[in-house]
Amino acid sequence: MKAITESFVVPTRGKGTYEITDEVARILKGSGITTGLATVFVQHTSASLVIYENADPTARADLHRFFEDMVPEDHPGLIHTAEGPDDSTSHLKMALTRTSESIPIADGELQLGTWQGIYLFEHRNSPHRRIITVSLLGV
Amino acid sequence: MKAITESFVVPTRGKGTYEITDEVARILKGSGITTGLATVFVQHTSASLVIYENADPTARADLHRFFEDMVPEDHPGLIHTAEGPDDSTSHLKMALTRTSESIPIADGELQLGTWQGIYLFEHRNSPHRRIITVSLLGV
Amino acid sequence: MKAITESFVVPTRGKGTYEITDEVARILKGSGITTGLATVFVQHTSASLVIYENADPTARADLHRFFEDMVPEDHPGLIHTAEGPDDSTSHLKMALTRTSESIPIADGELQLGTWQGIYLFEHRNSPHRRIITVSLLGV
């Protein structure tokens, strides 16, 4: 049984989704694990994770727009805005998506479906360096 | 220490929730694991998972209706509609719920609360065959 | 390889967020695990989990208010209200956040970011005793 925890950094260019599937698959490949569980974790409260349709970019364009409509920067009544109008809203969008995501491993591969990609969802306007931590457990 | 990854198919009849607790419990029983972690993963981007109240069916009726109200098929501005008005909306409902769910194991049983059932949440109108992958880790 | 499943109770005073990071870290410390995965699970369908900004309390004030606005107790059309207007709404808020959350372990510590705290999110008005179950896997 192996247990590995490894991190990498994703530089973002502001709001949007950034695919990290290849980085997670690369860490799995290096581990030699064939059966088990990969858990992806984002070490931030103003960015999140989502597994989303990775074929047609219009799917993610709709995701970005829908979340802006649901949690707009001028949402009435927000008081946690010391860092700007994308401060509290970034935490709310994070809470509505995911901080951790776990993917089963079989035959040495992440058991993602055909159209599933793992994405970092950046909720701040300015570029950030986001730390992603991956836990691998298995044989 | 054991590591097992196993899949099963859930045939759906369109939008709604389909309980899969028994299938997951059956795979756990067959594994012989008494302490550890069960992770359920749905290999799709237009269906998701949710652990929900499993006693009174009106609870899930409200869930279905609430999500239709929040992400209606005629939501303005959506462009990812090549497969119909339930295309982008199905991905959005998925992003707002869960793709993976992890449940601790003790005494050979899933440590679910009294009213918790594991559900596949189908977001497409037409019937689909959905692949659920379960990872079991433990002793 | 170690596999540990342990539970603790969080008494709540009604709607709001209650930090449980220290309890989870304490269980990890007692396990002697240095590398692996900690999974936190809430055994209820009217309370949930969220990892949120733990520095400025205004961030969580906005979280509480936003969820009340999104899923108000007088939301039209809800029928699962046998236990009151906070019955179905509590399940809906739970579905929009998380039931399980997994955090990688390295160097014997939860790999949380600087501003991340693990919170129990209580959605009922009256005080409750909530069971949190923690699974630890690793070496």
Side-chain angles (χ1 to χ4, degrees):
Chain A
M1 197 79 181
K2 291 177 183 173
I4 291 161
T5 299
E6 199 172 316
S7 297
F8 61 92
V9 171
V10 181
T12 70
R13 299 171 304 279
K15 282 181 184 174
T17 42
Y18 300 83
E19 188 161 13
I20 59 172
T21 315
D22 287 352
E23 284 87 342
V24 179
R26 180 182 52 75
I27 294 174
L28 171 57
K29 208 54 89 179
S31 75
I33 290 173
T34 56
T35 304
L37 187 69
T39 297
V40 187
F41 182 85
V42 56
Q43 287 196 6
H44 305 274
T45 58
S46 55
S48 57
L49 297 174
V50 69
I51 291 182
Y52 218 74
E53 212 264 35
N54 69 350
D56 179 351
T58 61
R60 291 187 294 123
D62 281 353
L63 175 70
H64 305 159
R65 178 173 176 162
F66 181 85
F67 270 78
E68 281 304 302
D69 289 350
M70 185 165 53
V71 194
E73 292 198 1
D74 60 355
H75 187 82
L78 299 179
I79 57 172
H80 179 70
T81 53
E83 296 179 16
D86 63 341
D87 189 350
S88 218
T89 53
S90 69
H91 302 319
L92 294 168
K93 290 171 180 165
M94 175 277 295
L96 290 164
T97 47
R98 299 107 183 224
T99 293
S100 63
E101 196 75 84
S102 291
I103 305 120
I105 302 164
D107 304 321
E109 307 276 355
L110 296 169
Q111 295 301 291
L112 292 166
T114 311
W115 313 111
Q116 287 183 312
I118 311 168
Y119 291 90
L120 171 67
F121 199 172
E122 172 65 74
H123 303 303
R124 302 305 298 261
N125 287 316
S126 58
H128 279 73
R129 290 174 61 80
R130 300 305 195 174
I131 303 171
I132 305 287
T133 302
V134 178
S135 156
L136 298 174
L137 293 168
V139 291
Chain B
M1 196 80 183
K2 292 177 183 174
I4 292 161
T5 299
E6 200 171 317
S7 296
F8 61 92
V9 170
V10 181
T12 71
R13 301 171 303 279
K15 283 181 185 175
T17 42
Y18 301 83
E19 188 160 13
I20 59 172
T21 314
D22 287 351
E23 284 88 342
V24 179
R26 181 184 50 75
I27 295 175
L28 171 57
K29 209 52 90 180
S31 75
I33 291 174
T34 56
T35 304
L37 187 70
T39 297
V40 187
F41 182 85
V42 56
Q43 289 195 6
H44 304 275
T45 59
S46 55
S48 57
L49 297 174
V50 69
I51 291 182
Y52 218 73
E53 212 266 36
N54 70 349
D56 179 353
T58 62
R60 291 187 294 121
D62 281 353
L63 175 70
H64 305 158
R65 177 172 177 163
F66 182 84
F67 270 78
E68 281 304 301
D69 288 350
M70 186 165 52
V71 194
E73 292 198 0
D74 61 355
H75 187 82
L78 298 179
I79 58 173
H80 179 71
T81 53
E83 296 179 16
D86 63 341
D87 190 348
S88 219
T89 52
S90 69
H91 302 318
L92 294 168
K93 289 170 182 165
M94 176 278 296
L96 290 165
T97 47
R98 299 107 184 224
T99 293
S100 63
E101 197 75 84
S102 291
I103 305 122
I105 301 163
D107 304 320
E109 306 277 356
L110 296 169
Q111 294 302 291
L112 293 166
T114 311
W115 313 110
Q116 287 183 311
I118 312 169
Y119 290 90
L120 171 67
F121 199 172
E122 173 64 74
H123 303 302
R124 303 303 298 259
N125 288 315
S126 58
H128 280 73
R129 290 174 61 79
R130 300 305 195 174
I131 304 171
I132 305 288
T133 302
V134 178
S135 156
L136 298 175
L137 293 169
V139 291
Chain C
M1 197 79 178
K2 291 177 185 173
I4 292 161
T5 299
E6 199 171 317
S7 296
F8 61 93
V9 170
V10 181
T12 71
R13 300 173 302 279
K15 283 183 184 174
T17 42
Y18 300 84
E19 187 160 15
I20 59 172
T21 315
D22 287 351
E23 283 87 342
V24 178
R26 180 184 50 77
I27 294 173
L28 171 57
K29 208 54 89 180
S31 75
I33 290 174
T34 57
T35 304
L37 187 70
T39 298
V40 187
F41 182 85
V42 56
Q43 288 195 6
H44 305 274
T45 59
S46 55
S48 56
L49 298 174
V50 69
I51 290 182
Y52 218 74
E53 211 265 38
N54 69 349
D56 179 351
T58 62
R60 291 186 295 123
D62 281 354
L63 174 70
H64 305 159
R65 178 173 176 162
F66 181 85
F67 271 77
E68 280 304 301
D69 289 350
M70 185 166 52
V71 194
E73 293 198 0
D74 61 355
H75 186 83
L78 298 179
I79 57 171
H80 179 71
T81 52
E83 296 180 17
D86 63 341
D87 189 348
S88 219
T89 52
S90 70
H91 302 319
L92 294 169
K93 289 171 183 166
M94 176 278 295
L96 290 165
T97 48
R98 300 107 184 225
T99 292
S100 62
E101 195 76 83
S102 291
I103 305 120
I105 301 163
D107 304 321
E109 306 276 356
L110 296 170
Q111 295 300 291
L112 292 166
T114 311
W115 313 111
Q116 287 183 312
I118 312 169
Y119 290 90
L120 170 69
F121 200 171
E122 172 64 74
H123 303 302
R124 303 302 299 260
N125 288 315
S126 58
H128 279 73
R129 289 174 61 81
R130 299 305 194 174
I131 304 171
I132 305 287
T133 303
V134 178
S135 156
L136 299 174
L137 293 169
V139 291

